[in-house]
Amino acid sequence: MFPLRVPIFAVLVSLTVGQYDDYDYQPASQYGPSSANCAQECECPINFPTAMYCDSRNLKFVPIVPSGIKYLYLQNNLIEEIKAGVFDNVTAELRWLVLDHNQITNEKVAKGTIDKLTGLHKILFSFNKLTEAVIPPSKSLDELKMMNNQLSKFPAGSLAGMQNLTSVHLQNNELTSKALNGVFKGLNKLVAIDLTNNKLKKLPSGMPSSLETFYGDHNDISSIAAGDLKELPKLAYLRLAYNQMTDAGIPAGVLNVTSLIELDLSYNKLQSIPEINEQLEHLYLQVNQINKFNLENICKFSGPLNYSRLKTLRLDGNNLTHADLPHDSSNCLRQASDIIFD
């Protein structure tokens, strides 16, 4: 570990700049005076007239949105409900809706509000009190974030036909594998799904072949079915740390996937190194119960052209030491610059 020598001023600057990264956001004050076409509780800068800034104002309701507004910022308020009619002027033109850090429940989202937003590109609805996902009917939607709610339900078919959706972030909820089965099917541009800290016992079925990143840390996943990854030819990053994975739950060859770059199975219950593909670059197996270095599961054959592309291999927190590294491992692991035992 290198000592941290970043000046405190630089840290403060980075925090200030980064606090709005999710929204590509600039505070209204940076755009000058407010336009007349604006809710009185908010600001609509003349230099950016399609944005309405209503964030951090202790609002308890969503104000009526005037026509012409495409970007609506309502984060960091005390909003408890969304009343009927507030979006009637912008049902087709609203592009971004940011509702993070409020107190909204499903019962207080009136019909004829979010379910009428047909032009929405992004919905950011994290840190509220939702128990069921609230999905707009927009075929233009490309980003869905509903982190840190109490979601246990996801309406079947609610994402059907959303061919522009690229990322879904649902971490820190109460979703089960059953609740998500088939939800992502047919979403041919979806590349990233984050389901960290939910109640999954297996990978959701029907994930699209376009998927490149799946995060499922901090769940109750105990196994990966033989066919789970065969339908994901582009999957590059798979994180399943802090689950209940055992050797018996990983069928032979199920992780031998040529597309994988990073595989995280740390903090599970594995007793051996699982079989991986030689193209894998980063393997995290720390804090399991591994007691044998299975070199054959990393390299089936070793030779001038047959070797592992592993750069990182973490085995700390297991029943292994550097002395357990096979004497003939140097050829197989020739690219590994970071092998950690303790």
Side-chain angles (χ1 to χ4, degrees), residues 296-315:
E296 67 277 7
N297 284 348
I298 299 176
C299 292
K300 287 197 175 298
F301 309 99
S302 290
L305 300 177
N306 295 308
Y307 58 92
S308 171
R309 274 61 177 181
L310 273 181
K311 299 175 182 176
T312 306
L313 174 58
R314 284 197 60 176
L315 290 163

Side-chain angles (χ1 to χ4, degrees), residues 190-193 208-214 234-238 260:
L190 186 60
V191 297
I193 298 174
S209 59
S210 56
L211 195 67
E212 298 176 9
T213 300
F214 180 86
K234 297 181 179 179
L235 187 66
Y237 302 94
L238 178 61
L260 274 181

Side-chain angles (χ1 to χ4, degrees), residues 150-270:
Q150 301 160 21
L151 299 180
S152 61
K153 299 178 182 178
F154 206 105
S158 57
L159 298 181
M162 294 190 179
Q163 294 303 318
N164 289 300
L165 192 59
T166 59
S167 64
V168 174
H169 299 265
L170 297 169
Q171 54 265 46
N172 302 318
N173 280 291
E174 299 175 16
L175 292 162
T176 63
S177 304
K178 183 177 180 181
L180 293 170
N181 280 345
V183 163
F184 308 114
K185 189 173 183 178
L187 302 178
N188 297 325
K189 288 188 179 179
L190 186 60
V191 297
I193 298 174
D194 193 339
L195 291 167
T196 300
N197 195 24
N198 275 278
K199 294 186 176 180
L200 305 182
K201 292 193 174 180
K202 59 182 180 179
L203 301 186
S205 66
M207 292 192 289
S209 59
S210 56
L211 195 67
E212 298 176 9
T213 300
F214 180 86
Y215 293 167
D217 300 334
H218 291 278
N219 278 281
D220 295 313
I221 299 171
S222 58
S223 63
I224 301 175
D228 279 350
L229 304 186
K230 287 184 179 179
E231 305 301 321
L232 305 174
K234 297 181 179 179
L235 187 66
Y237 302 94
L238 178 61
R239 295 184 181 176
L240 296 172
Y242 293 94
N243 276 285
Q244 303 295 322
M245 302 290 296
T246 63
D247 291 0
I250 303 178
V254 73
L255 295 173
N256 190 350
V257 179
T258 58
S259 61
L260 274 181
I261 295 173
E262 177 182 295
L263 175 61
D264 189 347
L265 294 172
S266 59
Y267 295 88
N268 277 280
K269 298 179 179 179
L270 302 177

Side-chain angles (χ1 to χ4, degrees), residues 119-154:
L120 213 57
H121 290 185
K122 300 182 188 298
I123 181 166
L124 281 64
F125 212 150
S126 300
F127 294 92
N128 277 276
K129 297 180 179 180
L130 302 177
T131 56
E132 182 172 350
V134 178
I135 309 297
S138 173
K139 303 304 181 186
S140 301
L141 195 69
D142 60 41
E143 184 176 25
L144 170 66
K145 288 188 175 181
M146 291 188 182
M147 309 172 287
N148 295 81
N149 277 280
Q150 301 160 21
L151 299 180
S152 61
K153 299 178 182 178
F154 206 105

